[in-house]
Amino acid sequence: MFFLFLILILLFLIVFSTIKFEVKRLYISNVDKIKLDYDFLIYVKLYAFGFIKFFQIKLNKSKFKDINLLKKIEYKKIKQNFTNTKLSLSKLKMDLEEFNLNLKIGTESMLLTNLLILFSGIGIPFLFNSLVKKYSKEKHRFRIEPLYQNNQLIDLKFNCIIKVKMVHIINIICMLLKKRSDIKDARTSNRRIDDDSHEQYTRYD
């Protein structure tokens, strides 16, 4: 009985908790370098009722030396699930508390470089409008500059803080499971119809 009570409390804390993703440092650059260099430091934290921290994970470059692990991720299935359920940023109801981006980018085409700068300059304010609940000039900043060197170049420095309530994540997981169940039921139903049709044709033959 005591353990059941503890499990119920833990479930209660998880359901009503907030996940905070803190990208303390993300650095990617191949400017003045032979190969692409990168580094990152990310914290994933769980807060009960939004302010009592009870769990934390630290992610950095040393823990992800085997980049080949990324190749094992089934991106097509992830994309299909998100497309089928029509997931959007609004359903997750994320809160972009902080956003600081310093990006220099260049391509072999001056036109393409200018287009990337243009679309980035349009897309980031749209992101702010969708995800930022309390905008601050000090906490929400970005600077994007072109590099005209006739080469594929990137120099990125980035940090941000994103908050998501666990109840919204659970809601999306339920949507995914329901959609998968509906697809399975539809396939089963179609199979039965095909089998019935096949039996009818067999009788007439």
Side-chain angles (χ1 to χ4, degrees), residues 97-114:
E97 278 193 343
E98 293 184 20
F99 183 97
N100 186 12
L101 172 68
N102 193 331
L103 174 64
K104 297 177 183 178
I105 190 167
T107 67
E108 295 177 355
S109 166
M110 184 181 293
L111 176 62
L112 180 58
T113 299
N114 289 332

Side-chain angles (χ1 to χ4, degrees), residues 110-122:
M110 184 181 293
L111 176 62
L112 180 58
T113 299
N114 289 332
L115 286 174
L116 287 173
I117 299 297
L118 175 64
F119 289 134
S120 299
I122 295 173

